[in-house]
Amino acid sequence: MKRLFLTAICTLSLACATNAQAQTMSWTADNGNGTFTNPLFYDEFSDPDILRVGDDYYLAGTTMHTVPGLVILHSKDLVNWENISYCFDRFDFDDDAFSLKNGKEIYGQGIWAPCIRYANGQFYVYSNINGKGLQCYTAKDIRGPWEHHNMKGKIYDLSVLFDDDGKIYAIHGYGEVHCTELKPDMSGPIEATDRVIIPNGSAVGEGHHMYKINGMYYLISTDYKPNGRTICSRSKSIWGPYESCVITADETFGYHAAPLTQVKGRIEPDGTMFGIPEADKDATACSNIHQGGIVQDQSGQWWALLMMDFHSIGRTVTLAPMTWKDGWPMLGLEGNLGRAPRTWFKPNIPNAPATKTAPYNRNENFDGKQLGRIWQWNHNPEDKMWQLKGGKLRLNSMPADQLMWARNSLTQRVIGPSSTATVELYTKGMKDGDVAGLGNINVPCSWVGIVKDGKQFILRWFEQAKNDTIDQPMELPKQKIWLRMCGDYDDDQAEYYYSIDGEHFYKIGCTMKLSYQLITFQGSRHALFAFNKNGVNGGYAEFDNFTVEEPDADRSQNIPYGKTFRIINLANGRPMVAMPHGLMYDTNSKDNSKLTHFRLIDKGQGKVSLQCEDGRYVWVSGLGLAGDVRLTTDASKAEEFLWQDYLNGEFMLMSLRTHLYIGKSPTTGSPYSMDYKGADPARRNGAVFRWEEVVK
């Protein structure tokens, strides 16, 4: 469906209310006060595997069909990370599908679920490539160069263990878990060594991470039927028998599962209709933390780095403390095992740098000789058809029917919770039939850009979900246009804007629903693209000054220190009240009396006590059952909480004594208790609150 765009001027959404300028602040989990808040990265990093070598930590993750491939991050403290390496620049297979040529593609395939190890003085990264088998990349230096070993064989989603006797084992398979010995030269598996070590029907799953700790073999796995959870299996022998237990389940940090795109087939041409159902806000699915690895820090503390499906962003990484209980590495803290705090204290690592750092620099002026590490090509690029020239990125157009088939599309992951990406597009080199712009590579895809139709320029907005197109003829006196995408990725929606002067931006098209899907197996991605819709090689488009603005990256004001505020329970919308009777309860929404007014006593490092405006402090008696959350005038009895930042004024209060949370049932009428294990996916079980400042 094509429409002529008649009205250009509109009211800008909140996310785009200010002009996006290059900024240095990007999301980092580090709160700057000795604590961190999950997720570690508010952008996609799938299938994390963690490795410690001395005082250095390395994290490897999936890159699917994009290149450079197999990303590796480095950290000194497990909280602040830097992208330092990829294992390869491009897929080195003579296969059109890896290069998006001749109607072939590898969306959602490529390379995935890596395992990173260090042995024999070198680094090893193992992973699977669909149709090509097991791959291994080795390097003496983590920054490369990397040597590629095609080990072939049907081994995927694996973990590798270098055992004490020098043997190398690959653990792999879904449900029925196999162990296969590998050749030391990485030329392939050793024939006739494959054995089943955990039989089918054991509810163990896949995504394996094998460790040998104090002579015992521990296998960390994940299962997604009927929803995500993490299992540990242990044995005194690599070959079993194994016993197992769940070490974490149901920890969603208050995020429900994202709706999945409904479509038949794969990457269809324009005209396909897609369905994006409404999200079930009570559903967990795989939004709970599940697949990933574990590591021990220098102080002896163990940590889990697990992923969770995180709406249209894709899959993100979380960091959670672990507690050994009866010989099992349980996620979480004593008194609340199996769950994890969203905000917790940073690892106690000596001499760890105090500087907060984000993994990537998202802004790019294209002035350098190389692209920034954040960028990845959609499939192998045609190197002769792009260049960095005159401080701009030049993309030569090649034939394509639509964005998903456009070769040499340069991408980077979107970042949440909300962000605004802006780029300058220069049109001087475009020829008839050329299409260039800023898009979202997802299924369904979308974009805004310029179409060269003869001598005329047309501004086009396209949304594949409804096969909807809006065209507007454009005069470009400076042969230049600014394009912008604004995304609210927690709420799975986005909008496009354009500007002729870089100051005044106008919305084009509707607010689009975003989703996660299992076709590309990636979340939303910004794409700079150029293709020719007439089936020929055309001219070129140039891009400059790509910027990303993250309004939620600064969390310094999220805890209401020095403010008087009401506490609203998200489960029923009712404010918390300090009863004269000495209990904590709720009251009607219009009650603004001093018994609904609270302030924080700052204990440092995010630790707080809660005081009512009448002078009484919140304390907890007994086991924290309903009626045990009480008030006292004795400041020494005040309960000490760790503030759990859920963003946008929402929070939880976790007792540092019991590691449980304050909450109130929305249905029973009982007073407040402190026996909640965490939030439910919809944040309406009574443990998640919103603070609102009292203006006097």
Side-chain angles (χ1 to χ4, degrees):
M1 177 172 60
K2 183 178 289 188
R3 292 181 281 151
L4 183 64
F5 189 59
L6 299 176
T7 305
I9 300 177
C10 67
T11 303
L12 302 186
S13 67
L14 179 61
C16 299
T18 58
N19 187 28
Q21 299 293 332
Q23 63 170 34
T24 58
M25 180 167 289
S26 185
W27 176 278
T28 171
D30 196 328
N31 292 319
N33 63 356
T35 68
F36 66 91
T37 294
N38 283 304
L40 278 184
F41 327 117
Y42 227 113
D43 63 335
E44 185 170 63
F45 194 99
S46 300
D47 305 319
D49 194 33
I50 183 69
L51 171 70
R52 175 186 159 204
V53 179
D55 292 333
D56 296 286
Y57 298 88
Y58 303 104
L59 193 66
T62 285
T63 48
M64 289 295 182
H65 50 276
T66 54
V67 292
L70 288 186
V71 61
I72 298 176
L73 306 185
H74 169 258
S75 177
K76 286 287 190 180
D77 64 1
L78 286 172
V79 173
N80 295 281
W81 294 84
E82 177 190 8
N83 179 8
I84 60 168
S85 184
Y86 291 94
C87 288
F88 59 91
D89 291 330
R90 62 188 294 122
F91 293 105
D92 53 358
F93 298 102
D94 185 18
D95 188 328
D96 285 351
F98 289 87
S99 299
L100 205 60
K101 293 170 63 176
N102 297 321
K104 297 181 179 180
E105 43 82 13
I106 55 166
Y107 280 114
Q109 300 176 45
I111 196 159
W112 45 276
C115 169
I116 184 169
R117 293 292 182 262
Y118 182 79
N120 308 315
Q122 68 178 350
F123 293 92
Y124 300 77
V125 179
Y126 300 86
S127 197
N128 171 75
I129 293 181
N130 292 75
K132 305 298 181 181
L134 179 61
Q135 313 296 314
C136 179
Y137 299 85
T138 58
K140 298 290 185 181
D141 187 329
I142 193 71
R143 292 169 175 79
W146 293 86
E147 181 181 357
H148 180 198
H149 311 262
N150 188 348
M151 301 179 69
K152 303 181 181 180
K154 295 182 179 180
I155 295 177
Y156 61 92
D157 216 3
L158 79 160
S159 181
V160 174
L161 178 73
F162 287 79
D163 212 343
D164 301 333
D165 60 2
K167 293 185 177 181
I168 308 169
Y169 298 105
I171 297 84
H172 56 102
Y174 174 72
E176 184 178 85
V177 182
H178 291 244
C179 181
T180 304
E181 193 173 346
L182 303 179
K183 296 178 181 178
D185 64 357
M186 299 302 120
S187 60
I190 297 177
E191 294 182 3
T193 61
D194 183 88
R195 288 170 56 180
V196 175
I197 60 174
I198 299 177
N200 212 342
S202 301
V204 168
E206 61 182 6
H208 307 297
H209 299 258
M210 178 66 86
Y211 306 92
K212 191 173 185 180
I213 304 169
N214 298 327
M216 182 75 76
Y217 294 88
Y218 290 90
L219 181 63
I220 308 296
S221 309
T222 190
D223 195 14
Y224 57 85
K225 294 181 180 179
N227 62 3
R229 61 198 176 282
T230 303
I231 306 103
C232 179
S233 305
R234 67 183 183 187
S235 175
K236 294 181 180 179
S237 167
I238 187 75
W239 306 110
Y242 285 85
E243 57 178 336
S244 68
C245 75
V246 174
I247 61 173
T248 182
D250 297 327
E251 186 55 77
T252 69
F253 299 121
Y255 287 90
H256 57 78
L260 292 178
T261 299
Q262 305 298 307
V263 62
K264 292 182 180 180
R266 288 177 57 78
I267 311 303
E268 302 294 344
D270 299 348
T272 298
M273 299 300 288
F274 296 81
I276 303 177
E278 292 297 323
D280 180 353
K281 294 187 177 181
D282 294 305
T284 299
C286 291
S287 61
N288 49 3
I289 54 179
H290 51 290
Q291 184 172 330
I294 66 174
V295 69
Q296 186 181 32
D297 70 21
Q298 293 92 315
S299 71
Q301 171 69 49
W302 283 85
W303 300 86
L305 289 94
L306 306 181
M307 74 176 182
M308 62 186 295
D309 291 12
F310 214 66
H311 290 225
S312 54
I313 285 176
R315 290 168 162 175
T316 59
V317 179
T318 62
L319 176 66
M322 305 189 77
T323 301
W324 285 84
K325 187 74 171 181
D326 300 326
W328 295 103
M330 300 296 297
L331 208 80
L333 304 162
E334 193 68 54
N336 195 5
L337 297 177
R339 302 297 292 268
R342 180 165 188 176
T343 299
W344 189 240
F345 302 106
K346 291 173 60 177
N348 182 23
I349 297 177
N351 303 317
T355 305
K356 295 169 57 176
T357 58
Y360 308 99
N361 178 10
R362 302 179 183 280
N363 301 314
E364 175 74 87
N365 59 17
F366 301 110
D367 288 346
K369 295 182 179 180
Q370 295 179 326
L371 293 168
R373 290 186 183 274
I374 183 68
W375 295 106
Q376 291 178 291
W377 297 100
N378 179 22
H379 292 66
N380 281 342
E382 186 72 43
D383 287 333
K384 294 181 180 179
M385 299 296 282
W386 75 275
Q387 57 184 311
L388 295 174
K389 184 175 183 178
K392 298 181 181 67
L393 167 70
R394 176 176 292 189
L395 298 180
N396 294 80
S397 66
M398 291 177 280
D401 293 329
Q402 56 127 318
L403 171 59
M404 299 298 286
W405 289 106
R407 301 182 64 200
N408 281 15
S409 293
L410 188 64
T411 75
Q412 66 168 264
R413 296 168 295 279
V414 303
I415 187 165
S418 63
S419 59
T420 298
T422 307
V423 70
E424 300 171 14
L425 169 63
Y426 290 79
T427 61
K428 180 180 179 180
M430 295 178 66
K431 294 183 178 181
D432 181 44
D434 282 352
V435 184
L438 171 66
N440 175 26
I441 287 191
N442 202 332
V443 180
C445 68
S446 63
W447 54 268
V448 64
I450 292 293
V451 179
K452 184 72 177 294
D453 186 8
K455 295 182 179 181
Q456 183 182 33
F457 289 110
I458 297 172
L459 175 69
R460 177 169 293 174
W461 169 89
F462 172 73
E463 183 194 20
Q464 193 180 31
K466 298 180 181 178
N467 193 31
D468 198 2
T469 300
I470 293 175
D471 280 352
Q472 177 185 347
M474 295 294 294
E475 295 291 335
L476 300 175
K478 297 182 180 179
Q479 297 181 307
K480 175 181 178 181
I481 190 170
W482 284 258
L483 304 174
R484 173 173 290 178
M485 178 177 170
C486 300
D488 180 350
Y489 301 106
D490 273 6
D491 201 29
D492 297 318
Q493 60 183 7
E495 298 170 337
Y496 285 111
Y497 294 78
Y498 73 97
S499 173
I500 303 301
D501 59 10
E503 295 293 331
H504 303 89
F505 280 81
Y506 305 95
K507 182 180 177 182
I508 181 169
C510 66
T511 300
M512 301 167 295
K513 292 177 65 175
L514 303 176
S515 74
Y516 186 60
Q517 36 70 43
L518 305 182
I519 298 174
T520 69
F521 251 111
Q522 290 182 332
S524 297
R525 280 181 168 254
H526 298 305
L528 306 181
F529 67 89
F531 63 90
N532 188 281
K533 64 183 179 65
N534 293 340
V536 298
N537 286 341
Y540 61 85
E542 292 183 318
F543 298 86
D544 200 3
N545 296 323
F546 182 92
T547 63
V548 179
E549 184 183 28
E550 300 178 47
D552 301 303
D554 182 3
R555 305 193 301 281
S556 61
Q557 303 301 311
N558 287 15
I559 304 179
Y561 294 125
K563 302 180 186 293
T564 300
F565 56 92
R566 293 201 309 166
I567 299 174
I568 310 300
N569 195 311
L570 295 188
N572 56 19
R574 297 167 66 91
M576 183 183 289
V577 63
M579 298 179 68
H581 186 54
L583 300 179
M584 299 297 292
Y585 199 56
D586 58 17
T587 183
N588 69 78
S589 60
K590 295 182 180 180
D591 188 346
N592 195 28
S593 67
K594 69 177 182 179
L595 295 184
T596 67
H597 296 178
F598 296 89
R599 50 180 170 255
L600 298 178
I601 308 300
D602 185 3
K603 300 288 187 176
Q605 288 189 292
K607 296 178 288 187
V608 298
S609 292
L610 192 61
Q611 185 182 30
C612 180
E613 192 175 48
D614 70 0
R616 292 179 295 169
Y617 299 89
V618 174
W619 72 289
V620 181
S621 173
L623 299 176
L625 301 181
D628 278 347
V629 180
R630 303 180 185 177
L631 293 131
T632 178
T633 58
D634 185 353
S636 67
K637 293 177 65 176
E639 193 79 15
E640 191 170 78
F641 302 101
L642 185 64
W643 185 277
Q644 304 289 299
D645 184 11
Y646 275 56
L647 309 181
N648 301 312
E650 297 182 7
F651 68 99
M652 293 175 67
L653 292 172
M654 185 183 74
S655 168
L656 286 169
R657 181 171 53 86
T658 67
H659 303 134
L660 295 171
Y661 301 87
I662 276 188
K664 182 187 184 301
S665 168
T667 58
T668 66
S670 298
Y672 273 89
S673 65
M674 198 184 69
D675 55 1
Y676 282 73
K677 289 183 171 293
D680 67 338
R683 303 189 186 185
R684 53 189 178 201
N685 65 336
V688 186
F689 311 104
R690 182 185 74 253
W691 64 267
E692 55 181 39
E693 186 175 4
V694 174
V695 179
K696 297 184 177 181

